[in-house]
Amino acid sequence: MRSLTEEDSKRITSLRFLLIVFVVFIHNNLNADNAINYYHLAFNEPAVITWFKFLVTSVLGGAAVPLFFLFAGYLQFCKQDSYPVLLKKRAKSLLVPYVAWTVITVALFFIAQSVPQLSAFFQNENNIVRNWNFTDWISLFWVHNEVYPLVYQFWFLRNLIVLVLFSPILVLLARKLPFLVIVGISLCFLYGIPLGFGTALFFYMAGFFFAEYDISFFKIADKIKWVEFGILFLAILIFNIAFAEKIQFYGINTLISCLFFLKLSAIIVSKEKLFAVSHYLAGFSFFLYAIHTPFLGTSLNKLSFQIIPLHGAWCLVQFIVPCVLCIAIGTGIGIALKKILPPVFAILNGSRK
């Protein structure tokens, strides 16, 4: 079993905030279907902007959540905590903030829906707090909108909690039948299983195999040259343009992008000042992840629809500006809260440092 090295720890830390930034951009990716059919907006986006957004959100951004599952599994199995200790740690880092942020989101939705000036922005029928029945209240934490809980980015926490709970069984199977488990999780990833568990299971268990067999995924990524990444990303764009909606390249896209960020981490760590900044911001990565949506990001996004024309180059402005504001405001709130009310910040941040 591999032990966590200082180099691995630094490289994982260097990516935490950066990956959350991509998550924010993913959730602000307004496409023609949503703009026209859901928001009823006039929308005319140039193809070059559409493909730029695809590169940011689907190609590069597609690695964000998978890498967090990989890191979660890898760190867990490298540390080899006993099951009771593991559950105690994960209750503090996953379950407590999961519940706390869901309660806060419910309160914010209720307040916004009670204020006439704000209620028009929060009229999704599924989110009208006054109309919820008992089943709706229970489903907030599991499947509120078909696949996602109320705080929809928390599907990651939901799935990770389930994987941690069943990790002793998963480890037993992986050690007894490694080949079958590898084939099984690969099929789950390629063909998908409900609620995002295909991706979650594959990368979480990949973390186990890297730890179990003392393999460094950073060293694998480091062997790929930058020019080769350039060629691969160009190929991804060409294939997706040529075969859009006919052939899905999600699995290949994700693996290539994961390797790209793993290699990029070496550059961040090698630059002392850059790593110092990334290390500091890493302490607020979970907070930004939790706060950025559905309330903060949704508010800024919908406000941008009223101000920014959704045609031509303005579509790129609408894509970037709300994200930058969301990242700045969300991180700023976290920094202020940590200074003013450290215990509250600790709860909401899952006791992460």
Side-chain angles (χ1 to χ4, degrees):
M1 178 68 72
R2 184 178 178 85
S3 297
L4 183 65
T5 66
E6 182 180 358
E7 178 72 9
D8 286 350
S9 180
K10 284 184 175 181
R11 292 182 70 167
I12 290 172
T13 298
S14 73
L15 293 175
R16 283 167 55 191
F17 190 81
L18 177 61
L19 293 175
I20 293 301
V21 166
F22 277 93
V23 171
V24 175
F25 275 94
I26 290 170
H27 293 153
N28 187 45
N29 184 18
L30 181 68
N31 56 40
D33 182 55
N34 285 336
I36 297 170
N37 298 320
Y38 183 77
Y39 293 111
H40 307 296
L41 300 168
F43 187 80
N44 184 16
E45 183 176 82
V48 66
I49 294 178
T50 300
W51 287 108
F52 172 77
K53 291 164 67 173
F54 171 78
L55 176 64
V56 172
T57 61
S58 297
V59 180
L60 294 174
V65 173
L67 278 178
F68 279 119
F69 278 118
L70 175 67
F71 294 158
Y74 183 71
L75 292 171
Q76 174 186 329
F77 297 117
C78 281
K79 293 178 181 178
Q80 302 184 63
D81 290 323
S82 66
Y83 191 58
V85 171
L86 175 66
L87 293 183
K88 184 177 180 179
K89 286 183 176 180
R90 293 298 173 264
K92 186 181 293 185
S93 64
L94 302 177
L95 183 60
V96 170
Y98 191 110
V99 173
W101 281 105
T102 301
V103 171
I104 289 172
T105 302
V106 170
L108 289 175
F109 271 123
F110 181 78
I111 293 170
Q113 292 159 11
S114 302
V115 178
Q117 292 82 356
L118 298 175
S119 60
F121 293 97
F122 296 91
Q123 290 302 316
N124 185 325
E125 293 183 1
N126 290 328
N127 294 335
I128 304 299
V129 178
R130 293 184 181 85
N131 297 340
W132 288 345
N133 56 34
F134 178 76
T135 303
D136 293 324
W137 282 99
I138 296 299
S139 69
L140 297 180
F141 299 92
W142 186 252
V143 180
H144 176 66
N145 290 307
E146 297 182 1
V147 174
Y148 307 107
L150 176 65
V151 184
Y152 54 82
Q153 71 272 27
F154 276 9
W155 72 269
F156 166 81
L157 296 187
R158 176 198 64 194
N159 291 14
L160 185 55
I161 289 170
V162 172
L163 290 171
V164 168
L165 287 173
F166 288 95
S167 60
I169 298 174
L170 294 172
V171 168
L172 180 63
L173 291 173
R175 285 176 173 158
K176 295 289 185 180
L177 304 165
F179 177 76
L180 289 179
V181 170
I182 291 173
V183 171
I185 63 174
S186 298
L187 291 174
C188 288
F189 174 55
L190 293 174
Y191 294 99
I193 52 179
L195 305 182
F197 274 102
T199 297
L201 181 62
F202 177 82
F203 283 94
Y204 178 80
M205 288 307 295
F208 164 78
F209 284 110
F210 280 118
E212 178 77 358
Y213 294 104
D214 193 14
I215 301 170
S216 172
F217 40 75
F218 288 114
K219 289 183 179 180
I220 295 173
D222 290 342
K223 292 180 180 179
I224 304 174
K225 298 178 181 179
W226 288 114
V227 66
E228 293 171 338
F229 276 115
I231 294 171
L232 288 170
F233 284 136
L234 181 61
I236 287 172
L237 288 176
I238 292 173
F239 278 112
N240 275 279
I241 292 172
F243 301 103
E245 300 180 1
K246 296 178 182 178
I247 302 175
Q248 296 297 318
F249 297 93
Y250 168 76
I252 297 173
N253 292 358
T254 301
L255 292 175
I256 292 172
S257 298
C258 286
L259 290 168
F260 170 81
F261 281 109
L262 292 174
K263 183 176 178 67
L264 181 63
S265 67
I267 293 179
I268 300 174
V269 170
S270 68
K271 309 294 183 181
E272 186 175 344
K273 291 184 178 179
L274 183 59
F275 177 70
V277 173
S278 65
H279 184 272
Y280 174 74
L281 291 175
F284 301 97
S285 57
F286 181 86
F287 189 89
L288 176 60
Y289 164 74
I291 200 175
H292 86 276
T293 198
F295 196 85
L296 178 59
T298 300
S299 301
L300 291 169
N301 208 22
K302 290 185 176 181
L303 183 61
S304 73
F305 298 160
Q306 311 300 316
I307 300 173
I308 302 172
L310 296 176
H311 59 78
W314 287 105
C315 292
L316 183 60
V317 175
Q318 190 282 324
F319 176 59
I320 294 174
V321 171
C323 287
V324 172
L325 289 174
C326 183
I327 293 164
I329 294 171
T331 306
I333 292 172
I335 293 172
L337 189 61
K338 184 176 182 179
K339 291 181 178 179
I340 299 169
L341 295 170
V344 175
F345 176 79
I347 291 172
L348 297 178
N349 204 44
S351 299
R352 293 170 178 83
K353 297 180 180 179

